[in-house]
């Protein structure tokens, strides 16, 4: 009669032989397949704008008042972009600052001489360089407008970048 230790040893030997037979089957041939690994890198842009604040005026007739702000764009290096401005929230035959039903007309321009109005049909285009690029916005309140009411006159203009 075999001892328990001998039976355990026989069982372990049989288990090892079975494991080896299952783990290493005989292979007759092989096949291979290849696959691609990749990704697409697309441009990105961001846009920020500073406020334009005109000088304080008194009621009566306006004189020319100029001010300026800037739009900051940051686009991927080599990415073409265009920036446009909407008409503002008080538009009616032109951009207007509003306060309690009173209005003062103003214009936004892309040049310091204020000869090229920056309107919805005029885009400012450029090519990104991976850093901030500054686009000046020149504002002007023309003279000769009647301002009968005191108040804080304001408008909201949206700058949009397409790339």
């Amino acid at each position: 009669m075999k001892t328990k230790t001998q039976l355990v040893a026989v069982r372990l030997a049989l288990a090892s032989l079975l494991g080896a037979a299952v783990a290493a089957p005989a292979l007759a041939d092989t096949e291979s397949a290849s696959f691609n690994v990749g990704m697409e890198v697309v441009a990105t842009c961001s846009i920020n704008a500073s406020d334009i604040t005109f000088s304080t005026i008194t009621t009566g007739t306006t004189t020319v008042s100029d001010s300026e702000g800037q739009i900051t764009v940051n686009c991927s290096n080599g990415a073409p972009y265009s920036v446009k401005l909407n008409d503002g929230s008080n538009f009616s035959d032109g951009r207007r600052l509003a306060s309690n039903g009173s209005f003062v007309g103003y214009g936004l321009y892309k040049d310091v001489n204020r000869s090229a109005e920056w309107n919805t049909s005029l885009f400012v285009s450029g090519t990104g360089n991976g850093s901030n690029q500054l686009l000046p916005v020149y504002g002007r309140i023309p003279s000769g407008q009647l301002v009968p009411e005191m108040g804080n006159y304001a408008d909201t203009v949206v700058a949009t970048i397409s790339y």
Side-chain angles (χ1 to χ4, degrees), residues 66-68 109-116 136-140:
D66 290 340
S67 188
E68 67 181 79
Y109 304 86
K110 69 174 200 148
D111 65 316
V112 70
N113 295 326
R114 291 164 176 85
S115 60
V137 182
Y138 301 97
R140 172 169 284 168

Side-chain angles (χ1 to χ4, degrees), residues 70-87:
Q70 67 185 16
I71 295 171
T72 304
V73 300
N74 188 322
C75 292
S76 301
N77 191 31
Y81 65 84
S82 293
V83 175
K84 74 173 191 170
L85 304 180
N86 76 352
D87 286 329

Side-chain angles (χ1 to χ4, degrees), residues 14-137:
L14 287 172
S16 293
L17 287 173
L18 282 173
V22 171
L27 301 175
D29 201 0
T30 62
E31 291 289 329
S32 298
S34 63
F35 59 94
N36 296 319
V37 176
M39 70 176 197
E40 179 181 11
V41 177
V42 297
T44 185
C45 288
S46 63
I47 186 169
N48 291 295
S50 65
D51 293 339
I52 296 174
T53 304
F54 292 101
S55 300
T56 301
I57 63 171
T58 59
T59 57
T61 305
T62 62
T63 58
V64 171
S65 179
D66 290 340
S67 188
E68 67 181 79
Q70 67 185 16
I71 295 171
T72 304
V73 300
N74 188 322
C75 292
S76 301
N77 191 31
Y81 65 84
S82 293
V83 175
K84 74 173 191 170
L85 304 180
N86 76 352
D87 286 329
S89 55
N90 301 306
F91 186 87
S92 179
D93 287 331
R95 289 188 172 106
R96 304 182 305 170
L97 302 169
S99 176
N100 297 318
S102 293
F103 300 95
V104 175
Y106 72 98
L108 297 177
Y109 304 86
K110 69 174 200 148
D111 65 316
V112 70
N113 295 326
R114 291 164 176 85
S115 60
E117 188 170 1
W118 198 343
N119 55 38
T120 57
S121 61
L122 178 64
F123 294 81
V124 174
S125 298
T127 301
N129 63 10
S131 298
N132 287 343
Q133 294 175 287
L134 305 179
L135 307 176
V137 182

